[in-house]
Amino acid sequence: MFLPTTKKEMKNRKWDQCDVVIVTPDAYIDHPSFAMAVLGRMLESRGYRVGIISQPKWKDPQSFLELGIPKIAFAVSGGAMDSMVMNYTASKIPRNDDAYCEKGEPYFSQKGDAKKYRIRPDRTINVYTSQIRSVCRDVPIIIGGIEASMRRIAHYDWWSDSVRRSILFDSKADILIYGMGEYPLVDCIRALSEGQNPDTMEIFGTAVIRKSTEGIPDAVALPSFADVKEKKEAFQEAFTLFYENRDIKTLVQPHDTRSLVQFPRRLLTPEELDAVYALPFKREPHPRYRDIPAFRMIEHSVTSHRGCYGRCSFCSITAHQGPEIVSRSKKSIMQEIEQIASKTGFTGTITDIGGPSANMYASSCKIGGCRDHDCLKEESACKNLISGTKDYLEVLKNAGDVRGVKHVFISSGLRFDPALMDDELIRACIRHHTPGRIKIAPESGSEKVLRLMGKPASKKFMEFLKRAKNISLKEDMPLKVTPYIIAGHPGEEITETEETIRFLNKTKLYGNQVQIFTPTPLTRSTAMYYLGYDPVTGEITHTEKNTKILEERKFKIINGDINAKKPDGHKHDAKKDPRNKTKMTHKKTGNLKKYRD
């Protein structure tokens, strides 16, 4: 049975009131890849009555009372993605689709509406909490999801080109949960139900507002919002303290007469992660929905782990999920695959078994971890890193042995570092687990930009490509690689763009998987964009901010030609790019070779 979304559905359960109402701009999909389902099922498993308000017509405050006033709290999410990232392109052009809405349509459109408006409002959390407060002042509001998580301290906001307060202050919510929040949410709801005030709570994985910060042991004091907003030196200091402490200490940042207090991250155990995925998900959309593009993409996919120690400067995953890898047991993964395979309509393909970086599954540390989590060092991996490649290969093989499963693919990104991508994994990917192309992210061909990105030097990618090509020839299988490239990252000028073009031409890797850098809150790259230098090393990072020039550079990279000029209104079609056409030839020996025109 789905969690109730209307009073009629509540009545069917003989409920007169919900304990917690979850509010989300995403379509309600009861699947472990969707946060509202995970949070709702987790609270339900603890005995709480949970309702879900999915995609409220937010201009009407009464729409937030669709399920009545909850007994304990509202839990408000900005959705699976930051609303500003979802609503605008890297050129700040409004998007005309939303994968988490019916048929990808991002607007409300019903008869009688005078004007369409977005299902997902800009700055969703601020809008939702404001509307809830206007009709219900006395019930605590908890905010979470990536929009809250990545805006939890004072931060630079690219869309307004300003330094903004912690979203906890802007939204006027009571508690902020950062990271993957199912267990902190349970702790918060339990504390509220016991009568605790939000400003007295000290729950790992949360942040609250306090008038006094006396008595907090070993807290790290960040420069105040007022200083961070006015002085870039203070912004740099605040970011560096945040970056270096990595959620392992309590952080305090003054905002007006009050302070933000962020408690250390709540770390999961493998057993706790297994318990999340054992919850009774229906693995399908609520009946009010029929065609949700995001669901089609992940319906038959499986999450194997959380966390990433890749330390990519532009990525939000480490700040959101944390650098520690927490992996599910093989038994837990197999049980989920068996459940998928038993469902009506399953055609035999597991579309993905992975996580932020698929081949970090089961990796660990000989000494139990360290402060830096710099596991993939520049020249070679840390001596204490234990690769989980063997375990990952076993999971892939066992998944293929499940009755009803014909194919097991890896659609998540793969790290090409030798410590994580050995020859056996390359061979398995080429032979069995590639849904068309292996997705690899060199991100740039410039050594300077790669260093600023926190990515491996290009020689490591070249070594991987050489190994992969040799294996593909031995296996008589074609090698197809899709490179992901970021254009316009801080530190990239025209010289670095030229280096990337030469790199792609040399490796004969083409395609349209090129995106312009978007400065998202709280990443090191965004701090570079705002400051003009790396906040950690002090290296100067000139950033091109002219949208037209950035679009031109993207066009040049896609076309592999520094002299290419983008025609007005041009859209690249990778299918029509002659460089993407391949010819397959068989020699008498039977070896299959591929070459590009």
Side-chain angles (χ1 to χ4, degrees):
M1 184 182 294
F2 287 95
L3 297 174
T5 64
T6 64
K7 283 193 173 180
K8 180 179 178 181
E9 292 173 10
M10 287 175 60
K11 186 176 180 180
N12 290 340
R13 288 176 174 243
K14 295 183 168 53
W15 293 1
D16 56 2
Q17 186 181 29
C18 290
D19 294 319
V20 180
V21 171
I22 296 172
V23 188
T24 174
D26 297 337
Y28 172 26
I29 314 291
D30 196 38
H31 185 286
S33 292
F34 290 79
M36 83 291 288
V38 173
L39 299 172
R41 292 299 185 188
M42 177 63 76
L43 289 170
E44 179 188 48
S45 73
R46 299 302 195 269
Y48 296 106
R49 295 181 173 184
V50 186
I52 293 180
I53 296 178
S54 174
Q55 301 180 332
K57 301 201 79 172
W58 50 268
K59 289 188 177 182
D60 177 10
Q62 292 299 320
S63 67
F64 294 89
L65 298 181
E66 176 70 23
L67 300 176
I69 296 175
K71 181 179 180 181
I72 300 174
F74 283 99
V76 176
S77 169
M81 291 179 63
D82 184 290
S83 60
M84 301 304 286
V85 175
M86 182 68 88
N87 288 349
Y88 297 93
T89 69
S91 300
K92 296 185 178 178
I93 298 171
R95 298 185 192 272
N96 290 317
D97 60 350
D98 187 324
Y100 294 85
C101 297
E102 183 69 30
K103 296 182 179 178
E105 169 60 50
Y107 299 100
F108 288 115
S109 55
Q110 294 181 358
K111 291 181 179 180
D113 288 344
K115 184 180 178 180
K116 291 194 303 183
Y117 60 94
R118 279 194 177 273
I119 293 171
R120 184 187 310 273
D122 292 353
R123 308 190 189 282
T124 297
I125 285 177
N126 290 350
V127 172
Y128 281 9
T129 54
S130 176
Q131 295 293 66
I132 292 170
R133 285 286 188 226
S134 72
V135 292
C136 184
R137 290 186 172 274
D138 299 329
V139 177
I141 299 177
I142 303 168
I143 59 174
I146 197 163
E147 182 166 312
S149 187
M150 298 304 290
R151 298 171 182 270
R152 59 188 184 266
I153 66 169
H155 57 279
Y156 172 71
D157 180 82
W158 173 67
W159 295 272
S160 62
D161 191 23
S162 65
V163 175
R164 295 178 67 103
R165 300 187 297 176
S166 163
I167 195 172
L168 191 54
F169 285 83
D170 278 349
S171 68
K172 298 179 175 58
D174 298 285
I175 304 168
L176 182 154
I177 294 176
Y178 66 90
M180 308 300 276
E182 55 273 275
Y183 284 96
L185 180 60
V186 168
D187 293 339
C188 288
I189 296 302
R190 182 186 300 115
L192 289 171
S193 68
E194 292 172 353
Q196 289 191 42
N197 290 323
D199 61 358
T200 65
M201 294 180 184
E202 296 184 4
I203 295 172
F204 279 13
T206 71
V208 297
I209 296 172
R210 287 190 178 178
K211 292 181 179 179
S212 172
T213 57
E214 292 183 7
I216 300 176
D218 300 321
V220 175
L222 306 184
S224 70
F225 166 68
D227 286 345
V228 166
K229 183 177 176 63
E230 297 299 326
K231 296 179 285 190
K232 287 191 174 181
E233 295 83 359
F235 182 96
Q236 181 269 336
E237 181 184 352
F239 180 86
T240 303
L241 286 170
F242 172 83
Y243 183 82
E244 290 177 346
N245 284 282
R246 295 187 181 279
D247 309 324
I248 59 177
K249 288 188 175 182
T250 299
L251 304 179
V252 174
Q253 185 175 48
H255 285 60
D256 55 59
T257 60
R258 301 163 297 166
S259 294
L260 173 80
V261 180
Q262 177 194 296
F263 300 104
R265 182 180 296 278
R266 166 62 155 89
L267 300 179
L268 282 182
T269 66
E271 293 76 20
E272 287 176 325
L273 193 57
D274 283 357
V276 170
Y277 290 92
L279 294 169
F281 302 102
K282 291 181 70 63
R283 303 190 70 92
E284 58 190 52
H286 185 276
R288 74 166 69 173
Y289 299 106
R290 293 290 181 268
D291 180 14
I292 307 299
F295 174 67
R296 294 202 310 266
M297 292 172 61
I298 54 79
E299 180 180 5
H300 298 142
S301 68
V302 176
T303 298
S304 58
H305 62 284
R306 291 181 181 174
C308 181
Y309 48 76
R311 292 169 61 98
C312 299
S313 302
F314 52 83
C315 185
S316 62
I317 291 172
T318 298
H320 181 57
Q321 292 194 10
E324 300 85 4
I325 301 300
V326 183
S327 300
R328 295 170 62 184
S329 67
K330 296 171 190 173
K331 179 181 178 181
S332 171
I333 294 172
M334 289 309 117
Q335 286 175 340
E336 184 174 356
I337 292 173
E338 289 168 359
Q339 183 184 8
I340 293 171
S342 68
K343 284 187 71 70
T344 302
F346 178 66
T347 59
T349 300
I350 299 296
T351 54
D352 188 30
I353 301 178
S357 292
N359 48 336
M360 284 188 183
Y361 173 76
S363 57
S364 59
C365 178
K366 292 178 183 177
I367 60 173
C370 66
R371 182 190 182 100
D372 292 335
H373 286 94
D374 192 9
C375 309
L376 301 171
K377 299 177 184 292
E378 180 60 31
E379 293 302 320
S380 61
C382 175
K383 64 181 181 180
N384 294 315
L385 175 64
I386 301 173
S387 171
T389 302
K390 183 178 179 181
D391 293 282
Y392 187 46
L393 283 168
E394 185 178 340
V395 165
L396 295 170
K397 180 181 181 302
N398 291 347
D401 292 337
V402 171
R403 184 176 181 181
V405 174
K406 301 174 184 176
H407 307 285
V408 178
F409 291 142
I410 303 171
S411 296
S412 299
L414 289 160
R415 291 285 305 203
F416 53 82
D417 309 76
L420 299 176
M421 181 67 92
D422 61 19
D423 287 0
E424 284 304 307
L425 182 54
I426 294 174
R427 183 174 291 106
C429 287
I430 292 172
R431 287 188 64 85
H432 305 296
H433 306 300
T434 302
R437 292 178 175 271
I438 298 176
K439 298 175 182 178
I440 298 291
E443 305 293 8
S444 177
S446 163
E447 302 304 327
K448 172 187 173 183
V449 176
L450 288 169
R451 184 179 66 256
L452 291 168
M453 288 178 166
K455 296 291 291 185
S458 60
K459 67 178 183 180
K460 283 195 176 181
F461 181 80
M462 299 295 285
E463 291 168 359
F464 156 75
L465 203 58
K466 182 179 179 180
R467 287 191 295 135
K469 286 180 177 178
N470 288 337
I471 291 170
S472 72
L473 289 174
K474 290 179 181 178
E475 296 293 325
D476 289 346
M477 296 286 287
L479 175 67
K480 299 178 182 180
V481 177
T482 294
Y484 284 78
I485 301 292
I486 294 177
H489 186 276
E492 181 184 278
E493 300 183 67
I494 192 63
T495 298
E496 287 72 34
T497 302
E498 291 175 354
E499 290 171 355
T500 295
I501 290 171
R502 286 197 295 270
F503 165 76
L504 291 172
N505 287 339
K506 181 179 179 180
T507 56
K508 295 188 169 121
L509 295 176
Y510 310 101
N512 64 345
Q513 298 300 326
V514 181
Q515 61 178 325
I516 295 173
F517 170 70
T518 299
T520 52
L522 217 58
T523 68
R524 183 172 171 179
S525 294
T526 297
M528 294 180 201
Y529 179 94
Y530 172 64
L531 294 170
Y533 59 89
D534 185 332
V536 179
T537 66
E539 181 178 354
I540 300 298
T541 55
H542 172 79
T543 304
E544 180 56 65
K545 298 182 180 180
N546 184 294
T547 299
K548 185 175 180 181
I549 293 174
L550 290 171
E551 290 285 358
E552 287 283 354
R553 289 187 185 174
K554 176 181 176 181
F555 183 79
K556 294 175 188 295
I557 293 172
I558 289 172
N559 285 273
D561 182 0
I562 194 62
N563 297 312
K565 300 290 184 183
K566 181 182 178 183
D568 291 340
H570 173 84
K571 290 186 178 180
H572 181 73
D573 187 345
K575 293 180 180 179
K576 295 181 179 178
D577 190 335
R579 298 168 307 155
N580 283 333
K581 294 179 181 179
T582 60
K583 291 183 179 180
M584 301 295 180
T585 62
H586 290 270
K587 286 191 173 183
K588 290 182 180 179
T589 57
N591 284 337
L592 184 63
K593 291 190 176 182
K594 176 178 79 171
Y595 65 92
R596 295 186 180 275
D597 291 336

